[in-house]
Amino acid sequence: MVNTALARRSSPVNLRLIFGVILGLLVLSFTLGTGAPAAHAASDVCVADSATGCFNGTIKGVGAGVKITIDGNGENVVVETDKSGKWNAAVTTAGTYTITLDEKTLPSGVTLKGDAVQTRDITLGFTKGAIFAVNGGDSGSADGGSTPTDTASQGFNWDRLAQQVVSGLRLGLLLALASIGLSLIYGTTGLSSFSHAEQVTLGGLLGYTFANVLGLNIFLTIFIVMVITGATGYVQDAVIWRPLRKKGLSLTQMIIVTIGLALALQYTFQMIWGAKTIRIMKNNPETFTIGPVTLTYESVWAMGLAVIVLILVGLFLLKTRTGRATRAVSDNPALAAASGIDVDRIIRLVWVIATALAGLSGVCLGLVLNGINWQTGMQLLLLMFAAVTLGGLGTAFGALVGSLIIGMTVELANFVVPGDFKYATALVLLIIILLVRPQGIFGRKERIG
Amino acid sequence: MSNATQKTATEARAELKSVPHTPGAPKPDAILVVDNIVRDFGGNRAVDVDHVEVQRGVITALIGPNGAGKTTFFNLITGFDQPSSAKKVFGGPSADKAAKWSFNGKLLGNTSAASVAKSGMVRTFQLTKALSRLTVMQNMLLGAKDQRGESFLAAFVKPLWAAQEKANIEKAEDLLKRFKLYEKKDDLAGSLSGGQKKLLEMARALMSDPVMIMLDEPMAGVNPALTQSLLGHIQSLRDEGTTVLFVEHDMHMVRHISDWVVVMAEGRVVAEGPADTVMSDQAVIDAYLGAHHDTDLGDDSLLEEGAMDAPKKEKK
Amino acid sequence: MDMWLKVIYDMSANMILPTTAAFAIAAIGLNVHFGFTGLLNMGQAGFMLIGAYGFAVSTIMGFPFWAATLVTIGAGVLFALLLGIPTLKLRGDYLAIVTIAAAEIVRMVGRASVLNSVTGGSNGLPGETYRNTFSALSPFPDGQTTILWFTFDNTGVNGWFIRIVAWSLVVIFAILVWLLMRSPWGRVIKGIREDEDAVRSLGKNVFAFKMQSLIIGGVLGAIGGMFYVLPTSVQPDALGRNMTFLIWTAMLLGGAATIWGPVLGSILFFALRIFIQGTVDIIVPDAILNTQQTEQFSWIMVGVALMLLVIFRPQGILGDKKELNFNV
């Protein structure tokens, strides 16, 4: 009785708190923003806004000094590639432009494969890529949203299969770290949290700050990142999710709140860390080869770490009292509450675990992929949802198996479909699974009611 | 209330006198015939009914201890759930063991809930499903059958459905007056009390002129003042020729208005007969007591069943 | 003072953009899904993109305007059927996950380099390759016209012709939705939003009604997409997930389950964003927030606004508090 009265009385206070925290977040992003420009302003990256459109691209293997001219609509912009072959240019009028590569500035031994002159149409506020493929360098690519993993060459052989299987396992394990949290949150609260992706991104970006900018040891970095991201989970539940549950917001409303949070966080990240892909380690990763498989050392210990952490989570859920209570809440919150489990405490704990695991996943992903940027998590969110749905919504072990299947699907899809389609393949798999077995592999039929 | 239908209702009741008091007894004029319905949830068999028949034109009560599978049975025959014993393309039970049930001479297996309702068997729910953010009148109008304005293209052209709509509104107003909800017709259904929602749900079901109406615990949560009028409504439905099948915990109601009682326990039909005979049946007493032996003492449902025990013990 | 005038001009100019009208059409469609039927469609941008491709690709292949429009509508119908068949019988969040996944599939396939010759890959399709069949319909003479403080070409890329057509469509679609929602059909749809089992128990084929609703909203999304790209270009990444979320914000801002809510919401959404960005640009010195950061800041505000809106005023501006729209 006393409890409910307290809860009722405290809820408006908590709502005010939400306001406060959101405002605080904004102020924080302001202050962080003021210190941050140095991080990206120096690199002179074009960012598209309502008055600017951007052209960009990467001509791999040509290095700095290749001249590109963008001409049209009364504007004439000349830019040069930087040492990694990247270039970008800003224009302030929408319309069609001619983009010309000055072949004379290509380094010796490198020749252009396609046309030196291309036309592109641009709208203000958007970024357009232009690809100039060259012989002698690597294949060219446009930056406008290219996927962080390398596109494998076509054709089947056993060596490639082995490499892809290991890559699939790696992606699956790192995905599992993130999606188990998503699944635990769903299981205990019924919420499909769209902002979980941003927790992954946050982990990676913080990893960059501590390991690259501050130069800390990577394992210390991981520890700090997990503590910080776990704390964000705690704070989130304390000031947003718990008060909203108490306020009686429907799940649909909560889902939309997570979407709003995701949107706000993405642009906050962009403000603080910029829009570029950044690398967590300063030095280039070293690789080693076992049989047909080539891997970086980071990949190996990231996978090892993932396995250890996943086992620990499994043991926690199966063997400890709190873990069993967590599963009981997942099963039936009302019954769990009636049998004396403090449901709110369990949910709080789940948020901390979920966000800490997401943070770990973010650092590891940033290490094994080529880097991390403000939308890395968002690009993986659907794979997480696919993994969680595949395994059965709300079952932690299902999420693990689902993640491994999705990881494998993504990496092995290359054998069947062009590289561009590999994420799409995983999503098609998701839709097919829903058709055949909507409750997922480990889900119970009753859950889909 | 024509004389003819009255006679049918009385006759139908009279016919029951010759029916033996055994589970699965055949009825002289069965409207609903159910065979081999089995439903498993994981390892638990919630419903396992070999054969049961429901007499046309009378009020039949379906009773049993908590967890006896009454609501699941309701869900199965109204198409809201599928029996585990359903016919399958591959595997599944053999033809004579497969679930089969017919309503008004029409086979219903594998039929969607909507077509079951269209065929004239309309149900209500244990937890009321009033459509909260529609008005009482809109709730009622949803119940009407074969509306032209419900076809997508016709919806744009009001003259195509205006006349039918007007007739439906008149019919709804009559029903609402009868159920004492007329003054509330423009209120949102969500603002009604629990008992009024029960009444609304029943009135809404009647908008489609059902052949048989299935009420899932019509008395649960209704305040005692309304109970009497609810009973009256159900009886007058029968007198007008509608078959009524209801699930109920309230033994007072069962004894007061039911013409025939079917008892379920642990998913099976354990006894059948008129109310007073069934109550003294050893199988029924065992079923209720047996259920108690197995029940966890922490279970809230015991509180509900306590109410049911009282009259039974008096009888002994 | 000039700066403020510019902000006000920018706001008003953004309000009447043809892309704002296109956005409003998509929002009306989403409102049919979510506001009236309770379907959690998280992939409205996918409907827009598929409509945009449908129109642009078929026009480039030589289809006349009306045939290309039919392709757009057909693409919307087909996409709705594909999404609806596996998910409409399942619980709501499955539809959310499948729609968002399907929208991403459309985007990924559209920008795949294998399809460069058809969809233009990640560069998309430039507007002038498909907009001529539409411009050719213009009854206006060449030249410019000034109304109030707006001067535009009569028929050009962003001219009066497309503005008039797009905004007329907004009004027409809003009226059609109003006609639908006052009919018995609309009553069933709203009943499904409240409790689909109850509607099923009254003998309505819930799946068929939900499918019809998904198709109508989807076709509106496709037409919205077509008008979104007519004055611009087909950019797969511009019609991605964030576009869906912006449409949601606009719809909730105006008021879901109201007729004019999505329209009002769309207009206000763009005006407010420009207002925030302009104001911050003027008030906060560049040393603290440069132009690029004020833009990011305005998007952060959009996210925060979406959260606050859903928490504190889920019925939006035009909605009725009693008819809160969130029991799904």
Side-chain angles (χ1 to χ4, degrees):
Chain A
M1 248 355 213
V2 180
N3 257 336
T4 49
L6 266 176
R8 212 171 293 136
R9 203 153 46 87
S10 65
S11 86
V13 179
N14 282 331
L15 289 177
R16 244 175 282 143
L17 249 176
I18 298 179
F19 247 138
V21 166
I22 289 169
L23 278 177
L25 240 167
L26 287 175
V27 174
L28 187 72
S29 63
F30 255 118
T31 46
L32 283 171
T34 52
H40 58 87
S43 56
D44 198 24
V45 178
C46 169
V47 172
D49 59 33
S50 61
T52 322
C54 297
F55 288 108
N56 69 13
T58 306
I59 312 170
K60 277 190 190 152
V62 296
V66 179
K67 213 175 261 180
I68 289 157
T69 310
I70 291 97
D71 188 57
N73 301 300
E75 291 191 48
N76 186 306
V77 187
V78 182
V79 292
E80 286 187 7
T81 54
D82 67 8
K83 62 180 188 300
S84 54
K86 283 193 162 86
W87 61 272
N88 68 80
V91 293
T92 52
T93 317
T96 308
Y97 290 84
T98 322
I99 304 170
T100 315
L101 183 141
D102 187 350
E103 285 184 76
K104 279 176 286 185
T105 56
L106 286 173
S108 57
V110 178
T111 53
L112 198 60
K113 238 193 277 182
D115 290 334
V117 183
Q118 304 188 4
T119 50
R120 287 284 182 278
D121 190 72
I122 198 156
T123 314
L124 295 185
F126 292 106
T127 299
K128 262 284 173 90
I131 299 175
F132 293 98
V134 288
N135 292 315
D138 300 326
S139 57
S141 77
D143 278 358
S146 60
T147 49
T149 42
D150 35 344
T151 39
S153 54
Q154 295 300 306
F156 178 86
N157 61 57
W158 288 104
D159 288 358
R160 227 189 113 211
L161 179 68
Q163 176 77 48
Q164 295 300 101
V165 166
V166 174
S167 302
L169 188 65
R170 184 180 69 185
L171 180 62
L173 284 171
L174 301 188
L175 212 53
L177 284 178
S179 43
I180 279 189
L182 192 64
S183 178
L184 281 174
I185 293 174
Y186 180 88
T188 47
T189 65
L191 176 67
S192 309
S193 172
F194 279 70
S195 56
H196 200 65
E198 276 56 50
Q199 296 292 336
V200 175
T201 313
L202 179 66
L205 293 173
L206 285 173
Y208 160 83
T209 301
F210 287 106
N212 192 331
V213 179
L214 301 177
L216 296 185
N217 170 285
I218 187 68
F219 291 100
L220 183 60
T221 300
I222 287 180
F223 179 74
I224 298 175
V225 166
M226 285 183 74
V227 170
I228 297 180
T229 50
T232 61
Y234 185 93
V235 173
Q236 256 182 58
D237 186 55
V239 301
I240 303 182
W241 309 120
R242 186 169 185 274
L244 292 188
R245 283 198 299 276
K246 293 283 171 277
K247 193 179 182 225
L249 242 69
S250 73
L251 284 175
T252 311
Q253 264 168 302
M254 299 268 260
I255 288 176
I256 299 169
V257 174
T258 66
I259 289 174
L261 182 63
L263 208 62
L265 287 176
Q266 278 168 28
Y267 285 96
T268 310
F269 294 159
Q270 224 188 83
M271 220 166 171
I272 300 174
W273 282 280
K276 288 197 76 162
T277 299
I278 47 186
R279 307 205 22 174
I280 291 180
M281 299 290 256
K282 269 186 188 148
N283 40 351
N284 278 328
E286 284 170 40
T287 60
F288 69 99
T289 308
I290 309 174
V293 181
T294 304
L295 279 175
T296 61
Y297 285 104
E298 280 86 4
S299 294
V300 176
W301 62 250
M303 283 161 79
L305 194 62
V307 170
I308 293 169
V309 171
L310 289 171
I311 289 174
L312 287 178
V313 172
L315 287 177
F316 164 75
L317 287 175
L318 289 175
K319 300 286 178 194
T320 67
R321 209 181 142 75
T322 319
R324 281 195 296 265
T326 308
R327 288 190 300 145
V329 174
S330 262
D331 232 31
N332 186 340
L335 192 65
S339 52
I341 295 172
D342 182 351
V343 175
D344 275 321
R345 195 181 66 90
I346 296 290
I347 292 176
R348 179 75 46 92
L349 183 71
V350 162
W351 271 100
V352 172
I353 295 175
T355 48
L357 289 179
L360 172 64
S361 167
V363 183
C364 292
L365 282 165
L367 283 170
V368 304
L369 306 176
N370 285 328
I372 191 114
N373 65 34
W374 63 284
Q375 53 179 359
T376 303
M378 189 179 80
Q379 282 162 351
L380 293 171
L381 177 69
L382 282 179
L383 295 189
M384 291 180 222
F385 271 131
V388 169
T389 313
L390 194 59
L393 282 174
T395 58
F397 299 101
L400 172 62
V401 176
S403 299
L404 291 174
I405 295 175
I406 291 292
M408 285 289 176
T409 310
V410 167
E411 295 296 343
L412 293 180
N414 276 5
F415 285 107
V416 192
V417 294
D420 292 341
F421 292 145
K422 61 183 194 176
Y423 287 138
T425 312
L427 300 181
V428 170
L429 181 73
L430 164 70
I431 295 176
I432 293 172
I433 293 283
L434 283 180
L435 262 173
V436 181
R437 195 177 158 84
Q439 69 270 37
I441 300 170
F442 295 101
R444 274 175 293 151
K445 199 167 184 185
E446 277 66 50
R447 274 191 183 272
I448 55 167
Chain B
M1 248 190 254
S2 72
N3 216 15
T5 49
Q6 274 234 355
K7 217 162 106 194
T8 326
T10 339
E11 269 175 12
R13 270 185 287 172
E15 281 175 357
L16 279 175
K17 293 219 167 73
S18 59
V19 175
H21 301 172
T22 51
K27 309 290 183 305
D29 184 11
I31 187 167
L32 178 70
V33 181
V34 180
D35 283 298
N36 302 321
I37 280 203
V38 177
R39 178 69 170 102
D40 294 319
F41 287 109
N44 299 332
R45 182 149 290 193
V47 168
D48 184 0
V49 171
D50 291 338
H51 184 83
V52 74
E53 294 184 7
V54 174
Q55 168 79 350
R56 183 191 307 272
V58 304
I59 301 176
T60 306
L62 185 60
I63 66 168
N66 246 23
K70 304 175 301 275
T71 296
T72 311
F73 180 70
F74 249 48
N75 287 345
L76 288 167
I77 50 182
T78 49
F80 279 86
D81 194 358
Q82 273 70 49
S84 317
S85 54
K87 242 195 339 216
K88 294 192 181 82
V89 182
F90 300 106
S94 60
D96 57 323
K97 290 275 169 59
K100 196 177 83 180
W101 65 105
S102 65
F103 171 71
N104 227 353
K106 199 179 136 200
L107 275 180
L108 281 187
N110 262 336
T111 318
S112 73
S115 349
V116 170
K118 268 189 200 147
S119 71
M121 181 157 80
V122 178
R123 70 170 294 184
T124 66
F125 294 86
Q126 187 177 353
L127 300 166
T128 47
K129 290 187 182 294
L131 306 165
S132 311
R133 284 171 295 158
L134 298 185
T135 64
V136 169
M137 181 50 94
Q138 283 174 320
N139 263 277
M140 291 297 287
L141 292 174
L142 256 179
K145 274 205 291 199
D146 306 322
Q147 298 189 44
R148 262 169 252 133
E150 284 179 6
S151 115
F152 173 65
L153 290 176
F156 289 106
V157 192
K158 196 172 178 182
L160 287 179
W161 45 265
Q164 193 190 29
E165 182 86 347
K166 198 162 162 257
N168 283 337
I169 290 176
E170 278 164 16
K171 182 172 173 187
E173 283 175 345
D174 283 348
L175 274 168
L176 285 174
K177 278 176 195 153
R178 194 168 134 191
F179 282 82
K180 307 236 161 30
L181 287 170
Y182 184 73
E183 286 69 32
K184 302 259 179 200
K185 74 184 166 80
D186 296 320
D187 294 3
L188 291 184
S191 68
L192 298 182
S193 74
Q196 286 171 326
K197 281 182 187 161
K198 287 262 175 199
L199 287 174
L200 172 61
E201 199 172 273
M202 205 185 293
R204 188 175 67 191
L206 293 177
M207 279 296 287
S208 64
D209 302 317
V211 184
M212 172 159 143
I213 185 161
M214 307 184 53
L215 308 170
D216 197 349
E217 303 210 13
M219 291 300 159
V222 178
N223 85 48
L226 271 177
T227 312
Q228 210 51 45
S229 75
L230 243 168
L231 291 179
H233 288 313
I234 294 173
Q235 269 173 322
S236 60
L237 276 178
R238 170 196 59 195
D239 296 340
E240 287 162 35
T242 311
T243 309
V244 181
L245 175 65
F246 70 91
V247 168
E248 190 49 69
H249 270 145
D250 181 352
M251 291 316 262
H252 167 70
M253 172 176 175
V254 172
R255 210 158 336 147
H256 193 70
I257 64 165
S258 58
D259 303 311
W260 192 258
V261 177
V262 176
V263 187
M264 279 181 82
E266 290 168 358
R268 296 168 178 277
V269 174
V270 293
E272 269 191 55
D276 41 355
T277 340
V278 157
M279 298 303 166
S280 53
D281 188 314
Q282 191 56 42
V284 178
I285 295 163
D286 286 350
Y288 275 94
L289 291 176
H292 280 246
H293 288 312
D294 292 337
T295 317
D296 181 2
L297 287 173
D299 196 339
D300 284 340
S301 59
L302 276 180
L303 299 174
E304 273 175 64
E305 283 173 26
M308 215 187 284
D309 280 342
K312 212 162 53 196
K313 277 172 191 148
E314 269 170 35
K315 262 184 103 78
K316 272 176 96 179
Chain C
M1 206 54 217
D2 278 358
M3 289 160 88
W4 287 108
L5 273 179
K6 187 176 179 307
V7 170
I8 290 166
Y9 174 81
D10 280 352
M11 280 169 69
S12 57
N14 261 279
M15 285 164 122
I16 61 162
L17 271 179
T19 44
T20 305
F23 189 89
I25 295 173
I28 294 174
L30 181 64
N31 192 31
V32 171
H33 289 159
F34 176 74
F36 291 110
T37 324
L39 300 173
L40 270 180
N41 171 14
M42 288 289 166
Q44 187 68 341
F47 281 100
M48 291 177 79
L49 187 56
I50 209 147
Y53 276 130
F55 181 80
V57 172
S58 60
T59 303
I60 292 170
M61 282 165 65
F63 282 44
F65 178 78
W66 297 110
T69 307
L70 281 181
V71 171
T72 302
I73 294 171
V77 172
L78 202 67
F79 196 51
L81 285 172
L82 269 173
L83 295 185
I85 290 169
T87 49
L88 285 181
K89 287 191 172 163
L90 303 175
R91 206 182 44 198
D93 28 353
Y94 283 87
L95 183 71
I97 292 171
V98 167
T99 45
I100 195 170
E104 282 296 282
I105 293 174
V106 174
R107 189 178 67 86
M108 288 173 189
V109 170
R111 71 197 300 286
S113 50
V114 192
L115 292 174
N116 250 333
S117 56
V118 186
T119 62
S122 59
N123 294 314
L125 297 164
E128 62 271 12
T129 54
Y130 55 79
R131 80 167 60 99
N132 292 339
T133 53
F134 176 72
S135 307
L137 296 176
S138 172
F140 302 139
D142 286 346
Q144 291 192 326
T145 307
T146 303
I147 299 176
L148 297 176
W149 52 89
F150 299 113
T151 305
F152 302 115
D153 288 346
N154 287 342
T155 309
V157 175
N158 245 327
W160 286 111
F161 177 55
I162 186 167
R163 283 167 200 259
I164 290 168
V165 173
W167 283 105
S168 308
L169 282 178
V170 170
V171 174
I172 291 169
F173 288 139
I175 291 174
L176 286 180
V177 168
W178 173 73
L179 283 174
L180 268 180
M181 290 310 157
R182 68 165 187 171
S183 75
W185 186 89
R187 193 161 57 216
V188 178
I189 286 292
K190 287 184 244 174
I192 289 171
R193 177 188 72 195
E194 299 297 307
D195 189 326
E196 53 177 271
D197 273 346
V199 176
R200 207 170 272 137
S201 77
L202 296 171
K204 319 289 178 198
N205 186 343
V206 169
F207 179 77
F209 279 98
K210 277 161 95 172
M211 186 60 97
Q212 287 169 14
S213 159
L214 191 65
I215 290 173
I216 294 157
V219 166
L220 287 179
I223 294 176
M226 168 183 154
F227 276 88
Y228 193 81
V229 298
L230 267 175
T232 56
S233 57
V234 183
Q235 293 267 2
D237 293 341
L239 292 171
R241 244 173 296 175
N242 279 356
M243 175 58 94
T244 300
F245 298 157
L246 302 186
I247 299 173
W248 270 88
T249 313
M251 174 191 73
L252 293 172
L253 176 67
T258 62
I259 300 296
W260 295 102
V263 181
L264 179 69
S266 304
I267 295 173
L268 281 182
F269 176 80
F270 285 102
L272 283 175
R273 203 186 71 74
I274 297 289
F275 176 75
I276 295 170
Q277 194 180 336
T279 311
V280 173
D281 220 5
I282 293 169
I283 293 176
V284 183
D286 265 10
I288 297 176
L289 284 181
N290 59 31
T291 312
Q292 169 197 323
Q293 286 170 324
T294 51
E295 162 136 26
Q296 287 160 355
F297 177 79
S298 72
W299 287 113
I300 296 174
M301 290 305 290
V302 169
V304 173
L306 179 57
M307 292 168 74
L308 295 178
L309 200 61
V310 175
I311 298 171
F312 295 105
R313 199 176 162 85
Q315 74 273 31
I317 296 171
L318 297 181
D320 180 348
K321 178 95 186 170
K322 270 191 295 187
E323 293 189 50
L324 282 190
N325 200 28
F326 281 103
N327 281 352
V328 190

